[in-house]
Amino acid sequence: MKEHRTRNRSDLKRNVLQLPVSRQGVLSNKRGETLVTNILKVFAVLLILSGIIWILQGVNILPGSFMTGDPQWAVNGAITVVIGSGLLWFVSRKK
């Protein structure tokens, strides 16, 4: 009886080890990008767009808020664009 249990456990281990597993992760698309990668890309693009809006408001091109004409918001926007661009580059690079 004990021999039967051992054989079943080894068969189970063998079957588990032969399951196909993706190297990129469970939630990946055809190009191997994971869900986290795609979320970070969207976040980076949103950072870039909000930074551009802040720059335009800071240099008084896009009026209509308390940020209009305040150069500090142009600086904040430029920093945000740089951070968003760096994040997008980092996430998009080949691994």
Side-chain angles (χ1 to χ4, degrees), residues 37 47 49 60:
T37 303
L47 278 175
L49 291 176
N60 208 11

Side-chain angles (χ1 to χ4, degrees), residues 44-65:
V45 169
L46 290 175
L47 278 175
I48 293 169
L49 291 176
S50 64
I52 291 171
I53 289 172
W54 289 352
I55 290 171
L56 293 176
Q57 287 178 337
V59 295
N60 208 11
I61 294 177
L62 187 62
S65 78

Side-chain angles (χ1 to χ4, degrees), residues 20-62:
V21 178
S22 172
R23 286 185 170 188
Q24 289 82 17
V26 177
L27 300 172
S28 61
N29 62 12
K30 292 179 182 176
R31 293 179 296 190
E33 296 174 337
T34 62
L35 181 64
V36 174
T37 303
N38 290 330
I39 289 172
L40 286 175
K41 284 181 181 181
V42 169
F43 182 67
V45 169
L46 290 175
L47 278 175
I48 293 169
L49 291 176
S50 64
I52 291 171
I53 289 172
W54 289 352
I55 290 171
L56 293 176
Q57 287 178 337
V59 295
N60 208 11
I61 294 177
L62 187 62

Side-chain angles (χ1 to χ4, degrees), residues 2-19:
K2 188 174 184 181
E3 184 179 322
H4 180 71
R5 286 184 183 172
T6 306
R7 187 174 63 226
N8 284 341
R9 286 182 185 163
S10 65
D11 289 343
L12 180 63
K13 286 180 184 178
R14 193 175 320 117
N15 289 339
V16 169
L17 293 176
Q18 293 175 355
L19 289 175

